[in-house]
């Protein structure tokens, strides 16, 4: 079982852009995943979590730096040295990974900038609708559920029409993925899901 153990996520881009501090070795390479085999047949745990690259766990190599890493394959160019003595004192959960996190947030800002913009009036409407629905979920939960059901119906119909229109435009998958802010695989999945529901 592979576990990337992503620490940072966005609501909009889902699995396409999940981030984490990535380990970097002294030669600048990214270490291979570490496999934990409990000896129970075919079940094993595989991880690339930076914490295991301390040079002690299961003969994993010692990382010298961290950088921002994203599930889309992006890797930050800025290296942030690891102070393993400080990691030992503070514990890995308390170690400062703000540098790689900041770099990943800049990557997400770049993804958002390249994506097709959401019209300002729609973005404002969605923000107000969410705020109103959050309040209704507490004050009138049945009304909130009725509204959500109506929205699901409307958005499913709109998504189907839009997905067919995108495919009719015969745009490349690179263009579609960039416009949605997703990986090509996730963009294909999204469009196929909407067109299959028709």
């Amino acid at each position: 079982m592979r576990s990337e153990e992503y620490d940072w996520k966005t609501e909009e881009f889902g699995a396409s852009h999940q981030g984490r501090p990535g380990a970097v070795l002294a030669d600048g390479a990214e270490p291979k995943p570490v496999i934990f085999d409990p000896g129970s047949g075919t079940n094993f745990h595989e991880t690339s979590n930076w914490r295991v690259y301390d040079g002690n766990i299961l003969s994993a190599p010692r990382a010298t730096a961290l950088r921002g890493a994203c599930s889309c394959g992006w890797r930050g160019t800025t290296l942030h040295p690891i102070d393993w003595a400080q990691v030992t004192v503070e514990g890995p959960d308390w170690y400062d990974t703000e540098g790689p996190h900041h770099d990943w947030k800049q990557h997400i800002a770049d993804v958002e900038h390249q994506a097709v913009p959401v019209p300002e009036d729609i973005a404002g409407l969605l923000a107000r609708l969410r705020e109103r629905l959050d309040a209704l979920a507490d004050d009138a939960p049945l009304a909130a559920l009725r509204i959500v059901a109506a929205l699901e119906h409307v958005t499913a119909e709109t998504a189907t029409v839009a997905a067919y229109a995108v495919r009719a435009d015969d745009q490349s998958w690179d263009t579609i993925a960039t416009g949605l802010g997703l990986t090509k695989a996730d963009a294909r999945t999204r469009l196929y899901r909407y067109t299959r529901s028709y």
Side-chain angles (χ1 to χ4, degrees):
M1 179 177 68
R2 180 70 182 267
S3 172
E4 291 288 357
E5 299 158 349
Y6 289 104
D7 295 334
W8 315 313
K9 300 181 181 183
T10 69
E11 187 173 300
E12 180 178 1
F13 301 125
S16 283
H17 295 288
Q18 298 179 98
R20 62 183 171 84
V24 181
L25 302 178
D27 63 0
E30 186 169 315
K32 293 180 181 178
V34 174
I35 297 174
F36 295 89
D37 184 0
S40 57
T42 58
N43 294 327
F44 61 89
H45 176 74
E46 189 174 327
T47 184
S48 294
N49 191 302
W50 71 272
R51 297 165 176 86
V52 302
Y53 300 104
D54 63 357
N56 298 315
I57 299 174
L58 294 177
S59 301
R62 187 178 183 90
T64 58
L66 297 175
R67 67 180 171 190
C70 187
S71 58
C72 71
W74 171 89
R75 296 299 184 261
T77 56
T78 303
L79 299 182
H80 304 272
I82 301 174
D83 182 344
W84 284 108
Q86 188 176 0
V87 173
T88 301
V89 171
E90 295 181 350
D93 290 337
W94 296 101
Y95 188 72
D96 182 11
T97 58
E98 185 55 35
H101 188 206
H102 173 78
D103 298 340
W104 176 79
K105 287 192 293 187
Q106 183 56 55
H107 163 64
I108 296 302
D110 294 342
V111 169
E112 289 174 341
H113 179 72
Q114 293 175 25
V116 172
V118 175
E120 287 184 24
D121 62 324
I122 298 296
L125 181 62
L126 287 172
R128 290 192 303 277
L129 179 61
R130 177 160 192 171
E131 185 178 320
R132 185 72 176 99
L133 283 173
D134 285 346
L136 272 178
D138 288 332
D139 301 336
L142 292 177
L145 290 173
R146 286 194 65 199
I147 294 167
V148 168
L151 286 171
E152 287 174 347
H153 180 71
V154 169
T155 56
E157 286 183 349
T158 302
T160 299
V161 172
Y164 275 108
V166 167
R167 295 307 296 138
D169 287 344
D170 203 28
Q171 299 180 63
S172 72
W173 282 110
D174 284 328
T175 300
I176 293 168
T178 299
L180 294 175
L182 304 175
T183 62
K184 283 197 287 187
D186 287 346
R188 282 191 181 97
T189 299
R190 182 171 294 182
L191 262 64
Y192 288 149
R193 183 177 76 234
Y194 292 150
T195 54
R196 282 199 310 265
S197 65
Y198 182 72

